[in-house]
Amino acid sequence: MELGTFSTDTFSKLKPAKSPGPDNIHPMFLRETAYNIALPLTLIFRKSLDEGVLPEEWKCANITPIHKKGLRSEAENYRPISLTSAVCKVLETIVKKQMTTYLDSEGIITNHQHGFVRGRSCLTNLLHVIEDWTSNLDKEYGVDVIYLDYKKAFDTVPHKRLVNKLEHLGFAGGLLNWLKAFLTNRTMRVVVNGCFSAWAVVLSGVPQGSVLGPLLFLLFVNELPDWIKNNICMFADDTKIWTRLTNPTDAESLQKDIDLLSTWSARWQLKFNPEKCKLMHIGHKQDTKYTIRQDNINWNIRTYWNILELRGDLIETFKIITGEEQVNRETFFQMNRNVYDTRGNCFKLATSRSRLEVRRNFFSQLVISHWNRLPAHVVEADTVYTFKNRLDEEWGN
C-alpha cells in the first residue's frame, strides 16, 4: 500500500468533542497541531504498514458502560462504549479509503448491504423492502418476512476466519499483514468513575469504536446473500429475508434458506440469537411457521406483530372497553387498580403472567402493553372514529 505525506484534511474527520483513548492523546490536540505533526506521523504510519505491526497503545481500548434500561445492578442493561487511540484512527481512515476504493472498483460489496456503504442508508434499506412488499400486496400476494438477529455480532467475529475472507477478497501482502496485526492481540479495560479494571485480552470481534471495524464486519458477512434463493436486505448485522406466498412451496423455500443460513452461521461461528429472530406475516392469514437450528436445537421463530394488525387490535380493544362491542369486558381485560401508576392514560389494563406461548401470543395478552403506552388523549376519545384518527396522529408523530 502506497502512502505519501497524507493531507492534513484527514485530521478534520476527528471529532474534537470525543474523549481520548488509553494513550491520552486527545483528538483536539491532533486537529490543532495537524500541520506540524503530519510529516512525522507519515513516517510512523509508513513504518507500521511496511512492517505489518502496530504500537501496543493503538490496540488498547477503554470501555465505558452507559446505562440503557432496567436495573442498574445488571450488566446486560449497559451499552459498552469503546474509546481507542485517535492517532490510530487517522491511519485507519487512510487504510479504509484505500480499501473502499478497491472494493468499489471491483464491485465487491453486495448490493443487498445498506449499512456503512456510501450512497446507502437506513432509508434506502427501508425503501427497498417496502417497495417489494407493497408491490406483492398490490398483486394480492401475501409476504412472509424473517428478521434475523445475531448474538453479539460485532464482538464474536473469529479473527482467523475474517483474515481468510480478506485474503479471498484480494487483500494481500503488507496490507493483509497489517490488518491481521490490527485485529489480533488487542486488549481492553473497563473505566467507571475514574477507576480502571485489569486489562483483558480480546479474543474475537472487530474492534469496537474503530474506523475499520464496521467495514471489516461488512466483508465478513458479504457472502450471505449468495447462500439463499429468496430476497434479502441487510443493514450491517440487521438482516431480513422474505418471500411472497403464491403456493405452499414458497414457505418451504424460505425454510430452506433459513436452514442454509444456519449452516453458514455454524461454519463461520457467527451465531444467530434464535429467541430474538422474528417472523412477520404481511397481507395474509396463513399459519406458516418456521424454525431455525442452532447448537443442535430447533427453535420456533416467533411471530412479529404486523403494524396493521396492531392497529386493528387496538381499535378492537377500544371498542370492548367502551362498550361498543356487546361483550363482557372482563372476559378479556381487567382494569389496572394500582393507584400509584399515574403515568400515561387512565384506562390502563392489568397485566398477567401466562404459562404457555400460545396464550402469551393471543390478542388479549399481546395488546395490553401497547394499549397502556397510549397517551390519555388517544384512549379518552369519545368515538371510534376519533380514536382511529388520534391513534394515527400519535403514530405519525
Side-chain angles (χ1 to χ4, degrees), residues 25-56:
I25 299 178
H26 204 284
M28 176 66 79
F29 170 79
L30 296 176
R31 285 180 58 132
E32 295 297 325
T33 61
Y35 180 79
N36 304 96
I37 65 177
L39 179 57
L41 278 183
T42 299
L43 299 176
I44 295 172
F45 290 168
R46 184 179 293 129
K47 185 176 180 63
S48 175
L49 290 167
D50 289 345
E51 298 183 6
V53 295
L54 291 86
E56 184 178 327

PDB file of all heavy atoms in Angstrom, residues 25-56:
ATOM      1  N   ILE A  25      -3.943  10.803  24.065  1.00  0.00           N
ATOM      2  CA  ILE A  25      -3.721  11.827  23.033  1.00  0.00           C
ATOM      3  C   ILE A  25      -5.084  12.275  22.526  1.00  0.00           C
ATOM      4  O   ILE A  25      -5.813  11.502  21.892  1.00  0.00           O
ATOM      5  CB  ILE A  25      -2.852  11.289  21.884  1.00  0.00           C
ATOM      6  CG1 ILE A  25      -1.489  10.867  22.415  1.00  0.00           C
ATOM      7  CG2 ILE A  25      -2.695  12.354  20.800  1.00  0.00           C
ATOM      8  CD1 ILE A  25      -0.570  10.269  21.358  1.00  0.00           C
ATOM      9  N   HIS A  26      -5.441  13.510  22.816  1.00  0.00           N
ATOM     10  CA  HIS A  26      -6.793  13.996  22.548  1.00  0.00           C
ATOM     11  C   HIS A  26      -6.976  14.344  21.075  1.00  0.00           C
ATOM     12  O   HIS A  26      -6.066  14.901  20.441  1.00  0.00           O
ATOM     13  CB  HIS A  26      -7.072  15.239  23.398  1.00  0.00           C
ATOM     14  CG  HIS A  26      -8.521  15.484  23.642  1.00  0.00           C
ATOM     15  ND1 HIS A  26      -9.353  15.999  22.668  1.00  0.00           N
ATOM     16  CD2 HIS A  26      -9.298  15.263  24.734  1.00  0.00           C
ATOM     17  CE1 HIS A  26     -10.585  16.101  23.156  1.00  0.00           C
ATOM     18  NE2 HIS A  26     -10.575  15.667  24.414  1.00  0.00           N
ATOM     19  N   PRO A  27      -8.135  14.038  20.493  1.00  0.00           N
ATOM     20  CA  PRO A  27      -8.413  14.399  19.094  1.00  0.00           C
ATOM     21  C   PRO A  27      -8.255  15.891  18.844  1.00  0.00           C
ATOM     22  O   PRO A  27      -7.808  16.292  17.761  1.00  0.00           O
ATOM     23  CB  PRO A  27      -9.863  13.954  18.892  1.00  0.00           C
ATOM     24  CG  PRO A  27     -10.075  12.871  19.886  1.00  0.00           C
ATOM     25  CD  PRO A  27      -9.235  13.233  21.069  1.00  0.00           C
ATOM     26  N   MET A  28      -8.613  16.733  19.809  1.00  0.00           N
ATOM     27  CA  MET A  28      -8.453  18.176  19.649  1.00  0.00           C
ATOM     28  C   MET A  28      -6.984  18.551  19.449  1.00  0.00           C
ATOM     29  O   MET A  28      -6.647  19.402  18.616  1.00  0.00           O
ATOM     30  CB  MET A  28      -9.023  18.899  20.870  1.00  0.00           C
ATOM     31  CG  MET A  28      -8.818  20.419  20.851  1.00  0.00           C
ATOM     32  SD  MET A  28      -9.753  21.220  19.521  1.00  0.00           S
ATOM     33  CE  MET A  28     -11.386  21.250  20.270  1.00  0.00           C
ATOM     34  N   PHE A  29      -6.088  17.912  20.180  1.00  0.00           N
ATOM     35  CA  PHE A  29      -4.648  18.174  20.035  1.00  0.00           C
ATOM     36  C   PHE A  29      -4.177  17.838  18.619  1.00  0.00           C
ATOM     37  O   PHE A  29      -3.418  18.599  18.013  1.00  0.00           O
ATOM     38  CB  PHE A  29      -3.869  17.353  21.065  1.00  0.00           C
ATOM     39  CG  PHE A  29      -2.382  17.357  20.857  1.00  0.00           C
ATOM     40  CD1 PHE A  29      -1.613  18.444  21.257  1.00  0.00           C
ATOM     41  CD2 PHE A  29      -1.750  16.281  20.252  1.00  0.00           C
ATOM     42  CE1 PHE A  29      -0.241  18.456  21.055  1.00  0.00           C
ATOM     43  CE2 PHE A  29      -0.380  16.272  20.043  1.00  0.00           C
ATOM     44  CZ  PHE A  29       0.373  17.369  20.447  1.00  0.00           C
ATOM     45  N   LEU A  30      -4.639  16.707  18.098  1.00  0.00           N
ATOM     46  CA  LEU A  30      -4.237  16.304  16.748  1.00  0.00           C
ATOM     47  C   LEU A  30      -4.745  17.280  15.699  1.00  0.00           C
ATOM     48  O   LEU A  30      -4.034  17.609  14.747  1.00  0.00           O
ATOM     49  CB  LEU A  30      -4.752  14.892  16.452  1.00  0.00           C
ATOM     50  CG  LEU A  30      -4.176  13.766  17.316  1.00  0.00           C
ATOM     51  CD1 LEU A  30      -4.844  12.439  16.969  1.00  0.00           C
ATOM     52  CD2 LEU A  30      -2.669  13.659  17.133  1.00  0.00           C
ATOM     53  N   ARG A  31      -5.966  17.765  15.865  1.00  0.00           N
ATOM     54  CA  ARG A  31      -6.529  18.730  14.914  1.00  0.00           C
ATOM     55  C   ARG A  31      -5.761  20.046  14.945  1.00  0.00           C
ATOM     56  O   ARG A  31      -5.469  20.649  13.898  1.00  0.00           O
ATOM     57  CB  ARG A  31      -8.003  18.971  15.217  1.00  0.00           C
ATOM     58  CG  ARG A  31      -8.901  17.824  14.793  1.00  0.00           C
ATOM     59  CD  ARG A  31     -10.355  18.108  15.107  1.00  0.00           C
ATOM     60  NE  ARG A  31     -10.834  19.320  14.458  1.00  0.00           N
ATOM     61  CZ  ARG A  31     -11.960  19.412  13.770  1.00  0.00           C
ATOM     62  NH1 ARG A  31     -12.699  18.340  13.612  1.00  0.00           N
ATOM     63  NH2 ARG A  31     -12.339  20.541  13.239  1.00  0.00           N
ATOM     64  N   GLU A  32      -5.438  20.503  16.138  1.00  0.00           N
ATOM     65  CA  GLU A  32      -4.790  21.802  16.279  1.00  0.00           C
ATOM     66  C   GLU A  32      -3.332  21.786  15.831  1.00  0.00           C
ATOM     67  O   GLU A  32      -2.781  22.816  15.446  1.00  0.00           O
ATOM     68  CB  GLU A  32      -4.874  22.276  17.742  1.00  0.00           C
ATOM     69  CG  GLU A  32      -6.290  22.554  18.220  1.00  0.00           C
ATOM     70  CD  GLU A  32      -6.948  23.681  17.444  1.00  0.00           C
ATOM     71  OE1 GLU A  32      -6.238  24.638  17.058  1.00  0.00           O
ATOM     72  OE2 GLU A  32      -8.176  23.609  17.206  1.00  0.00           O
ATOM     73  N   THR A  33      -2.694  20.632  15.887  1.00  0.00           N
ATOM     74  CA  THR A  33      -1.261  20.541  15.534  1.00  0.00           C
ATOM     75  C   THR A  33      -1.045  19.787  14.218  1.00  0.00           C
ATOM     76  O   THR A  33       0.062  19.348  13.931  1.00  0.00           O
ATOM     77  CB  THR A  33      -0.486  19.838  16.656  1.00  0.00           C
ATOM     78  OG1 THR A  33      -1.001  18.503  16.830  1.00  0.00           O
ATOM     79  CG2 THR A  33      -0.596  20.601  17.971  1.00  0.00           C
ATOM     80  N   ALA A  34      -2.105  19.633  13.432  1.00  0.00           N
ATOM     81  CA  ALA A  34      -2.047  18.804  12.219  1.00  0.00           C
ATOM     82  C   ALA A  34      -0.900  19.190  11.297  1.00  0.00           C
ATOM     83  O   ALA A  34      -0.171  18.320  10.795  1.00  0.00           O
ATOM     84  CB  ALA A  34      -3.383  18.889  11.482  1.00  0.00           C
ATOM     85  N   TYR A  35      -0.710  20.489  11.062  1.00  0.00           N
ATOM     86  CA  TYR A  35       0.311  20.938  10.112  1.00  0.00           C
ATOM     87  C   TYR A  35       1.708  20.535  10.576  1.00  0.00           C
ATOM     88  O   TYR A  35       2.567  20.161   9.767  1.00  0.00           O
ATOM     89  CB  TYR A  35       0.228  22.457   9.949  1.00  0.00           C
ATOM     90  CG  TYR A  35       1.244  23.023   8.978  1.00  0.00           C
ATOM     91  CD1 TYR A  35       1.025  22.942   7.607  1.00  0.00           C
ATOM     92  CD2 TYR A  35       2.415  23.614   9.440  1.00  0.00           C
ATOM     93  CE1 TYR A  35       1.961  23.446   6.709  1.00  0.00           C
ATOM     94  CE2 TYR A  35       3.361  24.115   8.555  1.00  0.00           C
ATOM     95  CZ  TYR A  35       3.122  24.030   7.197  1.00  0.00           C
ATOM     96  OH  TYR A  35       4.059  24.528   6.320  1.00  0.00           O
ATOM     97  N   ASN A  36       1.943  20.580  11.874  1.00  0.00           N
ATOM     98  CA  ASN A  36       3.272  20.311  12.411  1.00  0.00           C
ATOM     99  C   ASN A  36       3.587  18.829  12.526  1.00  0.00           C
ATOM    100  O   ASN A  36       4.759  18.430  12.428  1.00  0.00           O
ATOM    101  CB  ASN A  36       3.423  20.959  13.795  1.00  0.00           C
ATOM    102  CG  ASN A  36       3.153  22.450  13.762  1.00  0.00           C
ATOM    103  OD1 ASN A  36       2.047  22.879  14.053  1.00  0.00           O
ATOM    104  ND2 ASN A  36       4.144  23.254  13.366  1.00  0.00           N
ATOM    105  N   ILE A  37       2.576  18.008  12.755  1.00  0.00           N
ATOM    106  CA  ILE A  37       2.858  16.593  13.004  1.00  0.00           C
ATOM    107  C   ILE A  37       2.580  15.699  11.798  1.00  0.00           C
ATOM    108  O   ILE A  37       2.788  14.482  11.864  1.00  0.00           O
ATOM    109  CB  ILE A  37       2.044  16.085  14.210  1.00  0.00           C
ATOM    110  CG1 ILE A  37       0.542  16.135  13.907  1.00  0.00           C
ATOM    111  CG2 ILE A  37       2.374  16.877  15.465  1.00  0.00           C
ATOM    112  CD1 ILE A  37      -0.322  15.571  15.025  1.00  0.00           C
ATOM    113  N   ALA A  38       2.130  16.271  10.687  1.00  0.00           N
ATOM    114  CA  ALA A  38       1.789  15.459   9.506  1.00  0.00           C
ATOM    115  C   ALA A  38       2.986  14.650   9.014  1.00  0.00           C
ATOM    116  O   ALA A  38       2.857  13.448   8.730  1.00  0.00           O
ATOM    117  CB  ALA A  38       1.248  16.343   8.399  1.00  0.00           C
ATOM    118  N   LEU A  39       4.161  15.270   8.915  1.00  0.00           N
ATOM    119  CA  LEU A  39       5.333  14.562   8.389  1.00  0.00           C
ATOM    120  C   LEU A  39       5.810  13.459   9.322  1.00  0.00           C
ATOM    121  O   LEU A  39       6.002  12.315   8.870  1.00  0.00           O
ATOM    122  CB  LEU A  39       6.463  15.556   8.100  1.00  0.00           C
ATOM    123  CG  LEU A  39       7.768  14.935   7.570  1.00  0.00           C
ATOM    124  CD1 LEU A  39       7.490  14.145   6.287  1.00  0.00           C
ATOM    125  CD2 LEU A  39       8.819  16.010   7.325  1.00  0.00           C
ATOM    126  N   PRO A  40       6.037  13.738  10.628  1.00  0.00           N
ATOM    127  CA  PRO A  40       6.473  12.634  11.492  1.00  0.00           C
ATOM    128  C   PRO A  40       5.453  11.501  11.580  1.00  0.00           C
ATOM    129  O   PRO A  40       5.832  10.328  11.641  1.00  0.00           O
ATOM    130  CB  PRO A  40       6.679  13.308  12.859  1.00  0.00           C
ATOM    131  CG  PRO A  40       6.014  14.632  12.770  1.00  0.00           C
ATOM    132  CD  PRO A  40       6.043  15.023  11.355  1.00  0.00           C
ATOM    133  N   LEU A  41       4.160  11.836  11.558  1.00  0.00           N
ATOM    134  CA  LEU A  41       3.163  10.770  11.579  1.00  0.00           C
ATOM    135  C   LEU A  41       3.196   9.948  10.290  1.00  0.00           C
ATOM    136  O   LEU A  41       2.971   8.737  10.311  1.00  0.00           O
ATOM    137  CB  LEU A  41       1.759  11.349  11.788  1.00  0.00           C
ATOM    138  CG  LEU A  41       1.355  11.664  13.229  1.00  0.00           C
ATOM    139  CD1 LEU A  41      -0.090  12.156  13.289  1.00  0.00           C
ATOM    140  CD2 LEU A  41       1.532  10.462  14.131  1.00  0.00           C
ATOM    141  N   THR A  42       3.483  10.616   9.174  1.00  0.00           N
ATOM    142  CA  THR A  42       3.612   9.883   7.912  1.00  0.00           C
ATOM    143  C   THR A  42       4.693   8.824   8.016  1.00  0.00           C
ATOM    144  O   THR A  42       4.523   7.689   7.554  1.00  0.00           O
ATOM    145  CB  THR A  42       3.930  10.852   6.756  1.00  0.00           C
ATOM    146  OG1 THR A  42       2.867  11.792   6.615  1.00  0.00           O
ATOM    147  CG2 THR A  42       4.092  10.092   5.446  1.00  0.00           C
ATOM    148  N   LEU A  43       5.833   9.184   8.617  1.00  0.00           N
ATOM    149  CA  LEU A  43       6.945   8.234   8.771  1.00  0.00           C
ATOM    150  C   LEU A  43       6.537   7.066   9.667  1.00  0.00           C
ATOM    151  O   LEU A  43       6.860   5.908   9.376  1.00  0.00           O
ATOM    152  CB  LEU A  43       8.160   8.955   9.353  1.00  0.00           C
ATOM    153  CG  LEU A  43       8.727  10.112   8.502  1.00  0.00           C
ATOM    154  CD1 LEU A  43       9.874  10.793   9.241  1.00  0.00           C
ATOM    155  CD2 LEU A  43       9.188   9.599   7.138  1.00  0.00           C
ATOM    156  N   ILE A  44       5.816   7.369  10.736  1.00  0.00           N
ATOM    157  CA  ILE A  44       5.361   6.310  11.649  1.00  0.00           C
ATOM    158  C   ILE A  44       4.348   5.408  10.954  1.00  0.00           C
ATOM    159  O   ILE A  44       4.429   4.169  11.041  1.00  0.00           O
ATOM    160  CB  ILE A  44       4.741   6.930  12.921  1.00  0.00           C
ATOM    161  CG1 ILE A  44       5.807   7.689  13.721  1.00  0.00           C
ATOM    162  CG2 ILE A  44       4.100   5.847  13.794  1.00  0.00           C
ATOM    163  CD1 ILE A  44       5.243   8.481  14.885  1.00  0.00           C
ATOM    164  N   PHE A  45       3.419   6.010  10.232  1.00  0.00           N
ATOM    165  CA  PHE A  45       2.397   5.226   9.535  1.00  0.00           C
ATOM    166  C   PHE A  45       3.024   4.337   8.462  1.00  0.00           C
ATOM    167  O   PHE A  45       2.648   3.163   8.317  1.00  0.00           O
ATOM    168  CB  PHE A  45       1.367   6.153   8.892  1.00  0.00           C
ATOM    169  CG  PHE A  45       0.477   6.874   9.873  1.00  0.00           C
ATOM    170  CD1 PHE A  45      -0.334   7.926   9.470  1.00  0.00           C
ATOM    171  CD2 PHE A  45       0.449   6.503  11.214  1.00  0.00           C
ATOM    172  CE1 PHE A  45      -1.152   8.590  10.361  1.00  0.00           C
ATOM    173  CE2 PHE A  45      -0.366   7.168  12.113  1.00  0.00           C
ATOM    174  CZ  PHE A  45      -1.172   8.210  11.691  1.00  0.00           C
ATOM    175  N   ARG A  46       3.975   4.894   7.724  1.00  0.00           N
ATOM    176  CA  ARG A  46       4.618   4.114   6.660  1.00  0.00           C
ATOM    177  C   ARG A  46       5.362   2.919   7.248  1.00  0.00           C
ATOM    178  O   ARG A  46       5.303   1.804   6.717  1.00  0.00           O
ATOM    179  CB  ARG A  46       5.573   5.002   5.866  1.00  0.00           C
ATOM    180  CG  ARG A  46       6.216   4.270   4.667  1.00  0.00           C
ATOM    181  CD  ARG A  46       7.132   5.180   3.892  1.00  0.00           C
ATOM    182  NE  ARG A  46       6.384   6.236   3.229  1.00  0.00           N
ATOM    183  CZ  ARG A  46       6.683   7.537   3.328  1.00  0.00           C
ATOM    184  NH1 ARG A  46       7.688   7.915   4.099  1.00  0.00           N
ATOM    185  NH2 ARG A  46       5.976   8.428   2.665  1.00  0.00           N
ATOM    186  N   LYS A  47       6.051   3.139   8.369  1.00  0.00           N
ATOM    187  CA  LYS A  47       6.773   2.043   9.007  1.00  0.00           C
ATOM    188  C   LYS A  47       5.805   0.977   9.512  1.00  0.00           C
ATOM    189  O   LYS A  47       6.061  -0.231   9.373  1.00  0.00           O
ATOM    190  CB  LYS A  47       7.607   2.584  10.174  1.00  0.00           C
ATOM    191  CG  LYS A  47       8.511   1.550  10.854  1.00  0.00           C
ATOM    192  CD  LYS A  47       9.373   2.187  11.920  1.00  0.00           C
ATOM    193  CE  LYS A  47      10.278   1.164  12.596  1.00  0.00           C
ATOM    194  NZ  LYS A  47      11.236   0.565  11.653  1.00  0.00           N
ATOM    195  N   SER A  48       4.673   1.395  10.069  1.00  0.00           N
ATOM    196  CA  SER A  48       3.667   0.457  10.550  1.00  0.00           C
ATOM    197  C   SER A  48       3.130  -0.402   9.412  1.00  0.00           C
ATOM    198  O   SER A  48       3.007  -1.632   9.541  1.00  0.00           O
ATOM    199  CB  SER A  48       2.520   1.221  11.226  1.00  0.00           C
ATOM    200  OG  SER A  48       1.477   0.347  11.599  1.00  0.00           O
ATOM    201  N   LEU A  49       2.819   0.230   8.270  1.00  0.00           N
ATOM    202  CA  LEU A  49       2.279  -0.506   7.134  1.00  0.00           C
ATOM    203  C   LEU A  49       3.325  -1.408   6.488  1.00  0.00           C
ATOM    204  O   LEU A  49       3.018  -2.535   6.091  1.00  0.00           O
ATOM    205  CB  LEU A  49       1.723   0.476   6.103  1.00  0.00           C
ATOM    206  CG  LEU A  49       0.440   1.216   6.500  1.00  0.00           C
ATOM    207  CD1 LEU A  49       0.165   2.377   5.549  1.00  0.00           C
ATOM    208  CD2 LEU A  49      -0.751   0.274   6.538  1.00  0.00           C
ATOM    209  N   ASP A  50       4.544  -0.937   6.379  1.00  0.00           N
ATOM    210  CA  ASP A  50       5.610  -1.728   5.750  1.00  0.00           C
ATOM    211  C   ASP A  50       5.939  -2.969   6.564  1.00  0.00           C
ATOM    212  O   ASP A  50       6.192  -4.046   6.008  1.00  0.00           O
ATOM    213  CB  ASP A  50       6.874  -0.880   5.565  1.00  0.00           C
ATOM    214  CG  ASP A  50       6.710   0.171   4.480  1.00  0.00           C
ATOM    215  OD1 ASP A  50       5.751   0.057   3.687  1.00  0.00           O
ATOM    216  OD2 ASP A  50       7.531   1.117   4.426  1.00  0.00           O
ATOM    217  N   GLU A  51       5.952  -2.830   7.881  1.00  0.00           N
ATOM    218  CA  GLU A  51       6.361  -3.943   8.738  1.00  0.00           C
ATOM    219  C   GLU A  51       5.174  -4.762   9.248  1.00  0.00           C
ATOM    220  O   GLU A  51       5.366  -5.827   9.839  1.00  0.00           O
ATOM    221  CB  GLU A  51       7.169  -3.407   9.921  1.00  0.00           C
ATOM    222  CG  GLU A  51       8.456  -2.713   9.489  1.00  0.00           C
ATOM    223  CD  GLU A  51       9.297  -2.245  10.672  1.00  0.00           C
ATOM    224  OE1 GLU A  51       8.920  -2.565  11.828  1.00  0.00           O
ATOM    225  OE2 GLU A  51      10.323  -1.580  10.451  1.00  0.00           O
ATOM    226  N   GLY A  52       3.959  -4.273   9.019  1.00  0.00           N
ATOM    227  CA  GLY A  52       2.786  -5.016   9.461  1.00  0.00           C
ATOM    228  C   GLY A  52       2.659  -5.113  10.970  1.00  0.00           C
ATOM    229  O   GLY A  52       2.229  -6.142  11.500  1.00  0.00           O
ATOM    230  N   VAL A  53       3.040  -4.054  11.650  1.00  0.00           N
ATOM    231  CA  VAL A  53       2.955  -4.036  13.113  1.00  0.00           C
ATOM    232  C   VAL A  53       2.317  -2.718  13.556  1.00  0.00           C
ATOM    233  O   VAL A  53       2.378  -1.716  12.833  1.00  0.00           O
ATOM    234  CB  VAL A  53       4.331  -4.202  13.788  1.00  0.00           C
ATOM    235  CG1 VAL A  53       4.916  -5.572  13.484  1.00  0.00           C
ATOM    236  CG2 VAL A  53       5.277  -3.106  13.352  1.00  0.00           C
ATOM    237  N   LEU A  54       1.750  -2.729  14.758  1.00  0.00           N
ATOM    238  CA  LEU A  54       1.155  -1.532  15.341  1.00  0.00           C
ATOM    239  C   LEU A  54       1.663  -1.373  16.771  1.00  0.00           C
ATOM    240  O   LEU A  54       1.868  -2.373  17.469  1.00  0.00           O
ATOM    241  CB  LEU A  54      -0.375  -1.613  15.380  1.00  0.00           C
ATOM    242  CG  LEU A  54      -1.151  -1.558  14.075  1.00  0.00           C
ATOM    243  CD1 LEU A  54      -1.261  -2.941  13.460  1.00  0.00           C
ATOM    244  CD2 LEU A  54      -2.558  -1.010  14.322  1.00  0.00           C
ATOM    245  N   PRO A  55       1.881  -0.141  17.217  1.00  0.00           N
ATOM    246  CA  PRO A  55       2.235   0.065  18.623  1.00  0.00           C
ATOM    247  C   PRO A  55       1.169  -0.526  19.532  1.00  0.00           C
ATOM    248  O   PRO A  55      -0.023  -0.504  19.203  1.00  0.00           O
ATOM    249  CB  PRO A  55       2.296   1.594  18.755  1.00  0.00           C
ATOM    250  CG  PRO A  55       2.533   2.085  17.367  1.00  0.00           C
ATOM    251  CD  PRO A  55       1.831   1.119  16.468  1.00  0.00           C
ATOM    252  N   GLU A  56       1.580  -1.038  20.660  1.00  0.00           N
ATOM    253  CA  GLU A  56       0.647  -1.669  21.593  1.00  0.00           C
ATOM    254  C   GLU A  56      -0.465  -0.723  22.013  1.00  0.00           C
ATOM    255  O   GLU A  56      -1.622  -1.140  22.168  1.00  0.00           O
ATOM    256  CB  GLU A  56       1.416  -2.154  22.821  1.00  0.00           C
ATOM    257  CG  GLU A  56       0.571  -2.906  23.828  1.00  0.00           C
ATOM    258  CD  GLU A  56       1.375  -3.410  24.999  1.00  0.00           C
ATOM    259  OE1 GLU A  56       2.559  -3.759  24.793  1.00  0.00           O
ATOM    260  OE2 GLU A  56       0.829  -3.446  26.124  1.00  0.00           O
TER     261      GLU A  56
END
